[in-house]
């Protein structure tokens, strides 16, 4: 019955170390399959999703070692199979990065159709359009996306929507195509830049990542490298909002404050103090929270992956707030759970209208997806009384040692596996 048991009411106070960026790591692990030489990647978060990627790599013959918890050593000198259809890979989204990586290197890939959080339709037409523009054939058969090419030739690709996944996937394939590829209307997220930097450290020639035009000169081979992944913007943002909702004082360490600007700006708008230093950001929530409006947008806008966390905070603010979700159409499923904690939120298509309430009360909750799950944890930390959260497997996909990190900030949270453990928790917290 794995669940989190949480007793709310303690302000979170202290410092917390942020790990490597999940969504950068997933693409970088796939990209490591593009050279026969050894690649060492540091600051890899130890998560369910990264484990699944590594398992899938092993399943096609790639050697994977973990010299320590956050370092991975990969050698793809022998790849004995270009079909990635490991059972667990079907459940994650980032499996699609094997398409770009293997197509780029071997001119062929067969990968199970991607799964991932159920937050909307999540088509992959832009990935397919990009591969086709490079000269690949792409078809879907028996639950696999099959792509192959005699040669990949650089091309000019204009993306119809700003998409992180397609930008990275096309960059992967184009890194080893012949000639120049230009991606216009590219995503600018920090992890797009991180993947480009990683590929460049392997000998690729990618310019403009972080702007909306990326230029890639294909190279015939990539070499080994040692690389450290950037800190996770969303893990950091989640702890920053946890500080706000519990009226705490939390310093997130090992972050790049520039990547957190849209998050910091909203926290200041709703009444928190935010102090930045070189690699840390401190959030102090001494005053009552006030209402605001927010719309999720591609980077550098406010991230869709922070939408549930800010909604939880606005639910406890003074006044009426409006949250508009513009990236994924089905990302308000957690609102029913929040309502059961006393929140007053009305959802109309992609907009949530929030009338702030003075407090939440503990309830039995279910995590509908990764970020919403984490946001419900923050709501429970702010609530009066005890909450339980089921389906924590979603949360574990993206947050390493979440309960332990929260405990170090003074939270009363425990992972419990049985009714008896839950009873023990209840007795302990009183
Ligand atoms: C990535 O998903 C992340 N996942 C998501 O993180 C994140 O929410 C999202 O980017 C936006 O930042 C991974 O990196 C594994 P998109 P992705 O392609 O690549 C539409 C988390 O919690 N679109 O940027 O699937 C799409 O429907 C997760 O860590 C097309 O129309 O997102 C969406 O509306 C959840 N056609 C928009 O673009 C396509 O071919 C942005 O999607 C591709 C996307």
């Amino acid at each position: 019955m794995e669940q989190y048991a949480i007793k709310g009411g303690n302000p979170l106070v202290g410092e917390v170390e942020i790990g490597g960026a999940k969504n950068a790591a997933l693409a970088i692990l796939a990209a490591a399959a593009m050279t026969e030489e050894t690649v060492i990647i540091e600051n890899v978060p130890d998560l369910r999703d990264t484990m699944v990627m590594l398992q899938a790599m092993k399943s096609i013959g790639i050697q994977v070692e973990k010299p320590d918890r956050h370092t991975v050593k990969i050698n793809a000198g022998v790849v004995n199979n270009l079909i990635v259809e490991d059972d667990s890979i079907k459940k994650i989204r980032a499996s699609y990065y094997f398409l770009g990586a293997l197509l780029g290197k071997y001119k062929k890939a067969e990968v199970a159709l991607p799964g991932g959080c159920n937050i909307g339709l999540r088509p992959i037409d832009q990935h397919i359009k990009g591969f086709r523009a490079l000269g690949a054939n792409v078809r879907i058969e028996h639950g696999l996306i099959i792509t192959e090419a005699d040669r990949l030739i650089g091309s000019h690709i204009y993306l119809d929507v700003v998409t992180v996944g397609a930008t990275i996937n096309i960059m992967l394939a184009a890194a080893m195509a012949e000639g120049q590829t230009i991606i216009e209307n590219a995503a600018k997220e920090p992890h797009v830049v991180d993947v480009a930097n990683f590929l460049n450290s392997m000998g690729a020639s990618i310019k403009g990542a972080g702007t909306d035009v990326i230029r890639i000169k294909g190279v015939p081979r990539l070499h080994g490298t040692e690389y450290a992944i950037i800190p996770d913007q969303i893990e950091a943002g989640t702890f920053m909002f946890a500080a706000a909702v519990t009226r705490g004082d939390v310093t997130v360490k090992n972050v790049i404050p520039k990547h957190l600007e849209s998050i910091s700006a909203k926290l200041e708008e709703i009444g928190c103090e935010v102090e930045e230093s070189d690699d840390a950001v401190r959030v102090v929530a001494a005053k009552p929270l006030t209402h605001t409006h927010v719309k999720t947008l591609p980077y550098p806008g406010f991230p869709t992956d922070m939408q549930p966390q800010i909604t939880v905070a606005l639910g406890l603010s003074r006044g009426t707030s409006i949250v508009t979700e513009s990236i994924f159409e089905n990302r308000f499923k957690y609102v029913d759970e929040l309502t059961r904690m006393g929140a007053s939120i009305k959802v109309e298509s992609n907009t949530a209208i929030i009338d702030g309430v003075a407090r939440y009360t503990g309830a039995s909750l279910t995590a509908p997806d990764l970020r919403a799950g984490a946001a419900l944890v923050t709501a429970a930390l702010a609530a009066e009384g005890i909450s339980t959260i089921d389906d924590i497997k979603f949360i574990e996909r993206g947050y390493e040692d979440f309960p332990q990190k929260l405990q170090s900030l003074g939270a009363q949270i425990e992972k419990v596996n049985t009714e008896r453990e839950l009873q023990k928790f209840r007795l302990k917290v009183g």
Side-chain angles (χ1 to χ4, degrees), residues 22-23 96 122-126 163-165 305 327 371:
K22 169 185 79 102
N23 289 342
Y96 52 39
R122 309 190 79 181
I124 54 161
D125 56 307
Q126 300 302 303
T163 134
V164 173
D305 290 348
I327 312 288
R371 304 302 171 188

Side-chain angles (χ1 to χ4, degrees), residues 190-422:
H191 41 292
V192 173
V193 180
D194 208 35
V195 179
N197 288 342
F198 173 74
L199 287 166
N200 284 342
S201 80
M202 293 169 85
S205 171
I206 302 175
K207 295 204 170 107
T211 75
D212 50 17
V213 184
I214 302 180
R215 292 187 158 76
I216 304 147
K217 271 199 201 122
V219 295
R221 63 179 293 278
L222 296 172
H223 55 70
T225 186
E226 278 190 37
Y227 192 83
I229 290 172
I230 52 165
D232 197 300
Q233 175 203 25
I234 307 300
E235 188 195 6
T238 303
F239 280 100
M240 289 163 73
F241 268 92
V245 295
T246 61
R247 302 287 172 77
D249 177 349
V250 172
T251 301
V252 288
K253 292 176 70 181
N254 181 34
V255 297
I256 299 175
K258 171 96 193 133
H259 295 167
L260 300 170
E261 274 175 355
S262 64
I263 297 165
S264 300
K266 279 295 161 196
L267 283 165
E268 284 178 333
E269 236 173 85
I270 65 172
C272 299
E273 279 169 48
V274 181
E275 275 171 36
E276 282 181 13
S277 51
D278 283 353
D279 64 352
V281 176
R282 178 177 176 198
V283 177
V284 185
K287 290 186 284 186
L289 302 179
T290 54
H291 66 107
T292 192
H293 297 337
V294 60
K295 181 174 182 181
T296 61
L297 287 170
Y299 189 83
F302 191 85
T304 173
D305 290 348
M306 287 298 302
Q307 182 260 100
Q309 298 88 319
I310 194 170
T311 301
V312 166
L314 295 176
L316 289 173
S317 72
R318 288 186 176 161
T320 302
S321 304
I322 296 178
V323 175
T324 308
E325 171 57 56
S326 74
I327 312 288
F328 293 110
E329 68 278 12
N330 195 10
R331 220 172 181 176
F332 282 120
K333 280 182 301 179
Y334 63 92
V335 165
D336 288 346
E337 300 294 273
L338 268 187
T339 307
R340 296 191 315 106
M341 301 178 85
S344 170
I345 304 177
K346 203 164 97 191
V347 176
E348 282 174 11
S349 94
N350 67 338
T351 302
I353 301 143
I354 305 160
D355 282 320
V357 295
R359 63 186 184 116
Y360 293 147
T361 47
S364 302
L365 307 163
T366 300
D369 61 64
L370 163 58
R371 304 302 171 188
L376 290 176
V377 170
T378 65
L381 291 170
E384 266 180 37
I386 292 179
S387 300
T388 56
I389 303 190
D390 286 335
D391 278 352
I392 56 172
K393 60 179 187 288
F394 290 120
I395 303 172
E396 290 177 343
R397 291 178 58 169
Y399 292 87
E400 182 182 306
D401 295 342
F402 200 35
Q404 292 84 341
K405 287 186 180 183
L406 289 166
Q407 281 161 8
S408 77
L409 297 171
Q412 291 182 291
I413 174 170
E414 261 170 42
K415 182 167 161 178
V416 294
N417 292 298
T418 59
E419 195 55 41
R420 203 181 145 84
E421 283 177 15
L422 178 58

Side-chain angles (χ1 to χ4, degrees), residues 4 32 56 74 139 144 360 402:
Y4 289 152
I74 292 168
R139 57 186 200 281
L144 291 173
Y360 293 147
F402 200 35

Side-chain angles (χ1 to χ4, degrees), residues 153-207:
I153 315 269
S155 179
H156 197 135
I157 299 159
Y158 193 100
L159 294 174
D160 301 331
V161 283
V162 179
T163 134
V164 173
T167 302
I168 292 178
N169 231 342
I170 297 168
M171 216 162 64
L172 291 171
M176 295 188 79
E178 296 168 41
Q180 177 166 256
T181 297
I182 300 177
I183 309 175
E184 296 212 49
N185 199 27
K188 297 182 281 212
E189 268 66 4
H191 41 292
V192 173
V193 180
D194 208 35
V195 179
N197 288 342
F198 173 74
L199 287 166
N200 284 342
S201 80
M202 293 169 85
S205 171
I206 302 175
K207 295 204 170 107

